[in-house]
Amino acid sequence: YPFGYGLSYTKFEYKNLKIKEDGNIIKVSFDVKNTGAMSGDEVSQVYVSLPETGNIHPLKELKGFQRNTIKKGETKHVTVEVRKDMLRYWDEQTEKFVVPSGNYKLMIGSSSADIRLMGELKTKN
């Protein structure tokens, strides 16, 4: 099973992705609507893919999540904050942690295999 997999008795719809850089915080916000027949919990997960650096990196890494109880027909506005230092990796050549500049791909979903929204963030260091 993919990371984050879980069965639910209801269905959720994701919309209105917004990505905003606020100092050292990346605010990822979106709406989650319960479109099913009963109330339920949804764990919204934020995955990040690093820009091309010439090094080998995972295709996506979990960087944040938030669990919400959402009533039938209700929409919740969700904001997940990702600290910029969570985007760093150890560079063996420079022997220090680095946060690469470039285009980061952000993926939001209910599991690593069920991505509902995608966006990009361009950063400069």
Side-chain angles (χ1 to χ4, degrees):
Y1 295 101
F3 183 77
Y5 174 83
L7 297 176
S8 179
Y9 294 104
T10 192
K11 295 180 182 180
F12 299 95
E13 179 180 276
Y14 287 61
K15 288 185 179 178
N16 303 323
L17 174 63
K18 291 185 175 64
I19 301 166
K20 180 182 175 189
E21 219 174 333
D22 187 9
N24 288 324
I25 301 290
I26 299 167
K27 294 184 179 183
V28 182
S29 60
F30 48 92
D31 295 327
V32 180
K33 181 176 183 179
N34 183 339
T35 59
M38 57 182 39
S39 297
D41 284 5
E42 177 71 340
V43 179
S44 302
Q45 301 165 25
V46 176
Y47 293 89
V48 176
S49 177
L50 297 178
E52 182 58 46
T53 64
N55 295 316
I56 297 173
H57 300 288
L59 294 175
K60 57 183 142 183
E61 296 178 85
L62 179 66
K63 296 299 181 181
F65 63 92
Q66 185 171 326
R67 181 181 186 142
N68 288 289
T69 301
I70 306 173
K71 296 177 184 172
K72 174 177 86 169
E74 180 183 23
T75 299
K76 283 220 175 162
H77 185 72
V78 177
T79 300
V80 178
E81 294 185 351
V82 178
R83 293 186 336 263
K84 278 182 123 179
D85 66 344
M86 293 177 67
L87 304 178
R88 67 187 184 166
Y89 70 95
W90 181 257
D91 185 345
E92 291 183 14
Q93 291 184 347
T94 61
E95 296 185 351
K96 63 181 179 178
F97 282 103
V98 296
V99 178
S101 296
N103 293 330
Y104 288 80
K105 187 190 304 182
L106 283 83
M107 298 157 275
I108 293 83
S110 59
S111 82
S112 63
D114 188 7
I115 301 299
R116 310 285 182 93
L117 299 170
M118 290 178 50
E120 281 193 1
L121 175 69
K122 186 171 187 162
T123 65
K124 295 178 185 175
N125 293 337

